Amino acid sequence: MAATGRRSLGGAAKRLSILAVLAVGLAAFFAAGLHEQLSFEALRDNREMLASWVEANLLLALLAYLAGYAVVIAFSLPVGAVATISGGFFFGLWFGTAATVVGATLGATALFVAAQTVLGDRLRARVGAALERMDSGFRENAFNYLLVLRLVPLFPFFLVNIAPAFANVRLATYISATFIGIIPGTFVYTSVGNGLGAVFDSGGEPDLGLILEPEILLPILGLSVLALVPVIYRRFRRAPPPA
């Protein structure tokens, strides 16, 4: 009995410690004014200094960006678009896309594991209603359904990061669907960053609505439809024949 009580206290302590880390991280982010420093204006004003440092320390800069992006996703910090475009600005289209996809996958996986282990009950209580709408899709075909949610942002990114943990999605399925599903959107925003220097030179602002342009949005929607085909097919096969 005493051992059970100690385990229960230990589990509660773990949950509180991770919640404390998340809370402290968010508080520190805003208290330090990073939400203002991580902006297109700050990037424009300091781009020469930052670009010079990146050029002189390319590998270190790439690793720092990757780790920082993982933290942004794990803590759900509201600077994802700026970070993604910055990756394209500093590292180019291909390296920027690769670093962002890997960093985002690592951060999302860290949050998924936390939700599946020590944060499950508390997070489930906060997102219960939205989770119910997603749960059946995960049970039908977890990989394809998650792939669709990554390709098209039908739900907030934070919610898509943790909901699969409550639906008992396998870790390998979560990682592979996340990695593949975020590539198209990341590629688009990184391409914006790749041309950001010219935008700054002209005195303009990056176009964050680019992904909604038909020539970009329609292919992504097409990929989403293809990903849904196995889910729809399974549901059709199980449907009772008409009377």
Side-chain angles (χ1 to χ4, degrees), residues 62-156:
L62 197 57
L63 291 174
Y65 172 80
L66 192 153
Y69 203 98
V71 170
V72 166
I73 298 302
F75 283 86
S76 301
L77 303 178
V79 292
V82 176
T84 304
I85 291 174
S86 297
F89 178 69
F90 290 120
F91 306 112
L93 182 58
W94 300 107
F95 281 113
T97 298
T100 300
V101 169
V102 172
T105 303
L106 289 174
T109 300
L111 192 55
F112 171 85
V113 172
Q116 203 172 45
T117 53
V118 294
L119 299 180
D121 294 339
R122 293 173 183 271
L123 287 177
R124 182 187 290 272
R126 290 186 60 185
V127 300
L131 176 63
E132 289 178 6
R133 295 197 295 271
M134 302 167 70
D135 192 61
S136 61
F138 285 122
R139 298 190 188 285
E140 290 283 343
N141 189 316
F143 177 86
N144 290 84
Y145 187 65
L146 180 55
L147 188 61
V148 171
L149 294 179
R150 293 303 191 191
L151 287 167
V152 182
L154 300 174
F155 296 92

Side-chain angles (χ1 to χ4, degrees), residues 5-111:
R6 282 195 297 271
R7 284 196 297 271
S8 178
L9 287 173
K14 276 187 177 180
R15 286 192 293 271
L16 288 174
S17 65
I18 293 186
L19 284 171
V21 168
L22 291 173
V24 169
L26 283 171
F29 174 79
F30 286 103
L34 293 178
H35 61 295
E36 297 174 350
Q37 296 178 33
L38 296 175
S39 64
F40 293 120
E41 291 77 13
L43 181 60
R44 180 193 59 212
D45 295 342
N46 299 282
R47 63 169 172 154
E48 291 184 7
M49 177 191 68
L50 292 171
S52 297
W53 185 85
V54 169
E55 185 177 356
N57 305 273
L58 183 57
L59 180 59
L60 177 60
L62 197 57
L63 291 174
Y65 172 80
L66 192 153
Y69 203 98
V71 170
V72 166
I73 298 302
F75 283 86
S76 301
L77 303 178
V79 292
V82 176
T84 304
I85 291 174
S86 297
F89 178 69
F90 290 120
F91 306 112
L93 182 58
W94 300 107
F95 281 113
T97 298
T100 300
V101 169
V102 172
T105 303
L106 289 174
T109 300
L111 192 55

Side-chain angles (χ1 to χ4, degrees), residues 130-239:
L131 176 63
E132 289 178 6
R133 295 197 295 271
M134 302 167 70
D135 192 61
S136 61
F138 285 122
R139 298 190 188 285
E140 290 283 343
N141 189 316
F143 177 86
N144 290 84
Y145 187 65
L146 180 55
L147 188 61
V148 171
L149 294 179
R150 293 303 191 191
L151 287 167
V152 182
L154 300 174
F155 296 92
F157 195 73
F158 167 77
L159 181 59
V160 178
N161 285 341
I162 62 174
F166 305 141
N168 298 316
V169 173
R170 293 171 59 246
L171 180 60
T173 300
Y174 179 87
I175 293 174
S176 57
T178 296
F179 184 88
I180 296 170
I182 63 177
I183 288 175
T186 300
F187 186 85
V188 171
Y189 280 111
T190 305
S191 68
V192 173
N194 193 38
L196 193 57
V199 174
F200 284 155
D201 290 338
S202 67
E205 292 287 337
D207 182 12
L208 298 184
L210 180 66
I211 200 168
L212 298 178
E213 294 294 328
E215 60 269 23
I216 294 174
L217 181 60
L218 290 178
I220 293 177
L221 290 176
L223 289 173
S224 303
V225 171
L226 287 176
L228 273 177
V229 167
V231 179
I232 297 171
Y233 176 70
R234 288 188 181 186
R235 186 167 294 183
F236 177 78
R237 285 191 62 186
R238 286 203 302 269

